Amino acid sequence: MAVTKEWTPVLDLTLAFGAPPAGAPVGLIAGLYPSLRAARMEPVDALRAPS
């Protein structure tokens, strides 16, 4: 959009440096439940279960 309107793109450095530290905990929490659930399963049961 900035290119078509010939605007100068501006990036707030707070967002650029704040996004990875904010996104890392979200990703860790989102992956925690499936990983804990998989850790309690037998590998054969995990392969046999419908997806």
Side-chain angles (χ1 to χ4, degrees):
M1 185 70 185
V3 172
T4 60
K5 297 286 188 175
E6 296 179 6
W7 294 339
T8 303
V10 178
L11 178 66
D12 185 11
L13 290 180
T14 305
L15 292 175
F17 289 112
V26 171
L28 289 172
I29 291 169
L32 186 63
Y33 174 71
S35 65
L36 291 175
R37 185 174 167 198
R40 286 184 268 137
M41 286 183 133
E42 290 293 324
V44 173
D45 294 333
L47 292 173
R48 193 176 311 141
S51 43

